[in-house]
Amino acid sequence: MDFETILKNRRAIRDFQNKEVPLSILKEIIQDTCLAPTASNGQPCKFIIIQDRNYLKKLSDESKKNLLDDLIRNPNLPSKQYEARLRDGQINLFYNAPCLVLFIGPKGLYSLDVDCGLTVAYFMFSATSRGLGTCWIGLGAHIRDKEILAEIGVPSDCRIIAPIIVGYPASIPAASERHSPDILKVVK
Ligand SMILES: Cc1cc2nc3c(=O)[nH]c(=O)nc-3n(C[C@H](O)[C@H](O)[C@H](O)COP(=O)(O)O)c2cc1C
């Protein structure tokens, strides 16, 4: 796949075939992310791979619970728009994907969000080039229960930046609309 095709084919995929993603392929994709630029070449991202659909539902419920608790304390949070979905016990934030990769990193690192964001982009393009679909699930990042964090292997000095679901797409949606880029000025 040439680069333009990869750019165009990458979509947020929320509908997956009932097919596991081999661990060896996930490892190859994660290896590709090592080429991503990071501040001072710090390469701070660490990865947790979860390949258990039932466990993903548990993580989804944990994240939903915490988002709803946050909304009780502060009803003006942006997550308010998703309140009905969060209250629906049937909805799985991870769309019953066969696999979730958590991008995590050290809590105090100033560049962590940007470093992980770029690393995720490499992950998504590498996955796309192998016929896989991905979607960043920001709503699924609110996992706080200490027992669960220990169970999935998040060290206490790390935080979750990006939960990325991965799988073989059942369907690939058409590209959502993009406006033309806002180039404010060219200074010569
Ligand atoms: C930081 C971030 C958080 C996101 N969180 C969610 C989410 O919680 N649930 C979801 O279904 N999609 C989520 N998405 C996917 C976006 O909705 C999607 O990328 C966007 O609509 C553009 O569509 P495309 O990726 O197909 O181009 C997220 C994307 C990003 C970059």
Side-chain angles (χ1 to χ4, degrees):
M1 226 184 257
D2 62 60
F3 189 57
E4 199 182 340
T5 310
I6 294 172
L7 284 179
K8 287 186 174 153
N9 281 13
R10 187 222 51 85
R11 300 258 62 80
I13 300 298
R14 304 179 177 93
D15 184 18
F16 298 96
Q17 296 173 38
N18 189 12
K19 183 175 163 188
E20 295 307 310
V21 184
L23 186 57
S24 57
I25 293 185
L26 287 165
K27 286 185 174 170
E28 283 173 23
I29 295 169
I30 290 172
Q31 182 67 45
D32 283 347
T33 71
C34 295
L35 295 169
T38 52
S40 307
N41 197 23
Q43 305 169 57
C45 298
K46 300 173 198 302
F47 308 88
I48 292 169
I49 301 168
I50 302 166
Q51 292 184 293
D52 177 339
R53 278 197 176 86
N54 293 330
Y55 199 80
L56 288 187
K57 178 70 170 76
K58 180 174 165 175
L59 294 183
S60 165
D61 290 344
E62 158 70 6
S63 203
K64 282 159 81 177
K65 178 180 95 50
N66 290 324
L67 282 165
L68 286 169
D69 285 351
D70 292 348
L71 275 175
I72 290 167
R73 276 190 291 278
N74 180 2
N76 297 320
L77 289 171
S79 49
K80 183 78 183 164
Q81 61 185 305
Y82 304 115
E83 189 172 0
R85 296 192 65 210
L86 296 172
R87 289 198 185 285
D88 183 334
Q90 299 304 308
I91 286 181
N92 179 344
L93 296 176
F94 301 118
Y95 301 98
N96 204 30
C99 176
L100 174 73
V101 177
L102 292 175
F103 288 62
I104 70 168
K107 276 177 182 162
L109 183 68
Y110 75 100
S111 60
L112 186 63
D113 294 76
V114 178
D115 289 340
C116 276
L118 278 162
T119 307
V120 167
Y122 274 59
F123 183 93
M124 288 179 166
F125 291 134
S126 175
T128 303
S129 77
R130 294 159 200 273
L132 284 158
T134 59
C135 186
W136 187 320
I137 307 294
L139 290 175
H142 303 264
I143 299 161
R144 296 178 199 151
D145 182 280
K146 284 204 169 72
E147 251 176 53
I148 294 181
L149 287 170
E151 226 164 42
I152 59 178
V154 180
S156 58
D157 61 349
C158 284
R159 64 188 175 95
I160 298 170
I161 305 295
I164 309 293
I165 51 174
V166 195
Y168 291 95
S171 57
I172 301 179
S176 46
E177 217 172 289
R178 299 296 204 259
H179 61 70
S180 49
D182 293 332
I183 299 173
L184 296 183
K185 194 167 178 172
V186 178
V187 181
K188 284 186 162 194

